[in-house]
Amino acid sequence: MRNCTAEEVLPANLAEHRAVKAWSRLEPHRIEPDTIEVLRLTTRKSAVYRMTGVGPNGTAVIAKRCGTTTASVERIIYETVLSRLSLPTLGWYGFVPEPEGGFGWLFLEDAGTDEYSPDNAEHRALAGRWLGTVHRVARVAGLQAQLPDRGLSHYLQRLRSSRAALLERVGNPVLSAAEAALLQTVAAQLDLVESHWEEVERFSEGVPPTLVHGDFVIRNLRIRPGANGPALLVYDWEMAGWGFPATDLAQVDRCARADLDAYYLVARQDFPQLDVSDVQRLANYGNLLRVVDAIYWATLFMVRDAYRSLLKPLQMIGKYEAQLAASLHAVNWSSAAGWEHAPRARSSPSPAKTI
């Protein structure tokens, strides 16, 4: 899927393109592609291209330029984790650092164009089994020291940062009364999430930390037809880390909405005391954390006080407010009287079942 936010004029001689030059350093059988398609190009210097004809048997290769920190995480996933799986995965062709440092190139098999649909029960079952397998395999891969933290402390830090950013802008005179009220509403929702944080922490004690994709959404999945049925292909591991796997199971907008029963049947092989209600609870917490994460990214766009600069993040936050309200209701953290009046005091629910 194309996701271009900037334009690029390709050179007449494709061998001169920066992606092709980087690809040539891997000394592949074929260097110059038939065509180059710009899949993603941003002003932050990250880019994704499809180079046709240069892969095995004339297949296409995806060239992804990104920061070295991001590249190192994805490289670990492809070289260390996915190679252990019995499930189909994308072919990994290598990594090429740029001479100047700071950026590098990842080269991968093209995942194709058959899109994943959360409305397709078979697709969702594939996603559930895939996640269950990855979460099981990664727990014995010794990855914790090599990956970014995706534990609950990571999300709590983002929650607090987001709330501070929202409250800081409530008094901006360019905002309407309704827009200022929206920011206050979301800040109060985040208050409520934090007031129940110990409940999530106790539940997480029974969920061993593992590899977290961190962005298990529709755009990062493809379906590959095969003689034995369709297979799920997963890519874009730039948000991956080590920690609490709840967000991968999130069921909110744009997420894969993996089938929880399918996930349960795989996960219970390691944890026979696990039941479906535990997986549902894990997914419910994932919904909350996923929306908290989305709100955090929206606040990063609030870099100027001019209304023109605030309009897009305000629209995003308006959408996330409804998702967060629904997620709060799903975990029974809202009330008929209105969650917006919830106190800051922490709650003390009964201990969670260890899974």
Side-chain angles (χ1 to χ4, degrees), residues 74-113:
E74 293 213 56
R75 184 179 182 183
I76 290 169
I77 301 303
Y78 285 110
E79 292 184 348
T80 306
V81 180
L82 299 184
S83 61
R84 294 171 175 259
L85 295 179
S86 58
L87 299 174
T89 60
L90 288 176
W92 164 252
Y93 302 135
F95 169 72
V96 176
E98 291 189 344
E100 300 81 6
F103 286 85
W105 292 86
L106 302 168
F107 293 98
L108 300 161
E109 177 186 4
D110 182 15
T113 58

Side-chain angles (χ1 to χ4, degrees), residues 198-209:
E198 287 182 354
E199 175 185 326
V200 188
E201 289 178 331
R202 282 195 295 274
F203 181 81
S204 73
E205 291 172 359
V207 181

Side-chain angles (χ1 to χ4, degrees), residues 208-340:
T210 187
L211 173 66
V212 180
H213 184 281
D215 201 19
F216 201 68
V217 296
I218 298 169
R219 70 170 182 270
N220 293 334
L221 309 177
R222 287 291 184 273
I223 298 296
R224 172 174 290 169
N228 297 320
L232 183 73
L233 298 176
V234 182
Y235 50 93
D236 273 0
W237 290 84
E238 57 192 54
M239 303 303 297
W242 182 268
F244 190 49
T247 56
D248 284 351
L249 292 170
Q251 306 287 304
V252 293
D253 185 44
R254 298 190 305 110
C255 291
R257 305 207 316 260
D259 184 278
L260 302 183
D261 289 335
Y263 180 86
Y264 160 73
L265 291 175
V266 177
R268 71 188 297 269
Q269 296 177 48
D270 287 339
F271 304 98
Q273 72 274 31
L274 181 71
D275 61 39
V276 175
S277 65
D278 295 316
V279 175
Q280 180 63 64
R281 190 175 179 187
L282 185 63
N284 287 343
Y285 289 146
N287 293 340
L288 283 166
L289 298 179
R290 175 78 192 178
V291 181
V292 167
D293 206 35
I295 293 170
Y296 168 79
W297 287 105
T299 62
L300 296 184
F301 288 97
M302 293 180 158
V303 294
R304 297 182 179 86
D305 291 332
Y307 187 74
R308 183 177 180 181
S309 299
L310 295 174
L311 181 58
K312 181 176 180 180
L314 281 170
Q315 292 172 338
M316 297 166 65
I317 289 168
K319 178 181 178 181
Y320 299 145
E321 185 277 330
Q323 292 182 8
L324 189 50
S327 297
L328 287 166
H329 180 74
V331 292
N332 297 316
W333 292 354
S334 57
S335 67
W339 53 262
E340 64 270 17

Side-chain angles (χ1 to χ4, degrees), residues 1-170:
M1 181 180 297
R2 293 177 64 86
N3 184 23
C4 303
T5 55
E7 296 296 330
E8 177 179 354
V9 178
L10 300 176
N13 180 4
L14 295 183
E16 296 300 317
H17 191 274
R18 57 180 182 167
V20 180
K21 289 182 177 180
W23 171 246
S24 69
R25 292 175 56 190
L26 293 175
E27 299 183 353
H29 178 71
R30 179 177 172 183
I31 295 175
E32 186 173 353
D34 295 324
T35 61
I36 297 178
E37 182 182 0
V38 182
L39 300 181
R40 186 169 71 219
L41 185 65
T42 72
T43 55
R44 296 180 181 179
K45 300 182 180 180
S46 63
V48 182
Y49 303 95
R50 178 183 288 117
M51 306 188 300
T52 61
V54 296
N57 300 316
T59 56
V61 169
I62 299 299
K64 179 176 181 179
R65 184 180 191 262
C66 55
T68 53
T69 300
T70 296
S72 65
V73 171
E74 293 213 56
R75 184 179 182 183
I76 290 169
I77 301 303
Y78 285 110
E79 292 184 348
T80 306
V81 180
L82 299 184
S83 61
R84 294 171 175 259
L85 295 179
S86 58
L87 299 174
T89 60
L90 288 176
W92 164 252
Y93 302 135
F95 169 72
V96 176
E98 291 189 344
E100 300 81 6
F103 286 85
W105 292 86
L106 302 168
F107 293 98
L108 300 161
E109 177 186 4
D110 182 15
T113 58
D114 289 350
E115 296 186 356
Y116 174 93
S117 172
D119 297 324
N120 185 311
E122 186 177 26
H123 291 187
R124 294 182 64 213
L126 282 171
R129 291 191 293 270
W130 196 94
L131 279 176
T133 301
V134 170
H135 289 169
R136 290 183 66 215
V137 171
R139 287 191 177 113
V140 296
L143 294 173
Q144 181 173 2
Q146 303 178 64
L147 296 175
D149 173 40
R150 291 296 180 265
L152 286 177
S153 61
H154 165 80
Y155 296 103
L156 182 58
Q157 181 180 12
R158 291 195 164 184
L159 181 153
R160 291 171 172 170
S161 173
S162 301
R163 182 175 56 208
L166 296 175
L167 293 176
E168 181 181 346
R169 288 158 179 82
V170 165

